[in-house]
């Protein structure tokens, strides 16, 4: 049996109940100014942004790309798809009121 999908209202109620439990267990909520959480000592923490190391030189791989392109071009084209002999199908013809009139064979 599938469980019903949780709604936003259910999620909000669950979060509110968790906050109430935290407060009842003598938990304290620390107020933080907007945008302050990303700052370390009033500055952005740049130690983990990847700018600490100098830019590395790239290794040229033109010969590898050329070899791959050559292999791609040397493939033979796939054969044309075979045409299947289709059997005629029986189709029903209806009148203006949706009543069946007759059957015809269609190729």
């Amino acid at each position: 049996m599938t469980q019903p999908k949780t709604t936003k209202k259910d999620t909000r109620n669950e979060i509110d109940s968790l906050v109430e439990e935290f407060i009842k267990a003598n938990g304290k909520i620390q107020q933080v100014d907007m945008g302050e959480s990303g700052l370390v000592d009033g500055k952005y923490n740049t130690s983990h942004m990847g700018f600490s190391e100098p830019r590395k030189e790239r290794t040229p791989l033109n010969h590898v790309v050329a070899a791959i392109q050559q292999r791609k071009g040397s493939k033979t084209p796939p054969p044309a798809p075979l045409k299947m002999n289709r059997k005629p199908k029986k189709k029903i013809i209806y009148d203006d009121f949706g009543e069946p009139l007759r059957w015809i064979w269609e190729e």
Side-chain angles (χ1 to χ4, degrees):
M1 183 171 186
T2 61
Q3 295 179 353
K5 193 172 186 180
T6 57
T7 62
K8 288 183 179 181
K9 184 177 181 180
D10 296 335
T11 305
R12 283 189 203 107
N13 291 338
E14 183 182 352
I15 291 172
D16 289 341
S17 66
L18 290 173
V19 169
E20 290 300 321
E21 287 178 24
F22 178 75
I23 292 172
K24 285 180 183 177
N26 294 328
K28 294 183 181 180
I29 298 175
Q30 178 185 2
Q31 295 295 326
V32 179
D33 291 334
M34 191 171 182
E36 187 177 335
S37 61
L39 304 177
V40 175
D41 295 331
K43 298 178 182 176
Y44 287 107
N45 186 5
T46 58
S47 65
H48 68 309
M49 287 188 176
F51 297 117
S52 59
E53 297 178 7
R55 186 175 177 176
K56 295 179 180 178
E57 290 294 322
R58 295 183 178 209
T59 306
L61 298 175
N62 295 337
H63 62 285
V64 176
V65 174
I68 291 171
Q69 293 295 336
Q70 185 179 14
R71 278 185 273 157
K72 279 185 182 179
S74 66
K75 289 184 180 177
T76 58
L82 298 175
K83 196 171 192 180
M84 299 291 222
N85 292 336
R86 294 188 180 184
K87 295 180 181 179
K89 292 185 178 181
K90 208 173 183 182
K91 183 180 176 186
I92 190 166
I93 304 295
Y94 296 97
D95 66 3
D96 294 338
F97 302 103
E99 297 293 322
L101 288 178
R102 66 182 180 272
W103 291 90
I104 62 168
W105 289 97
E106 201 174 63
E107 290 189 29

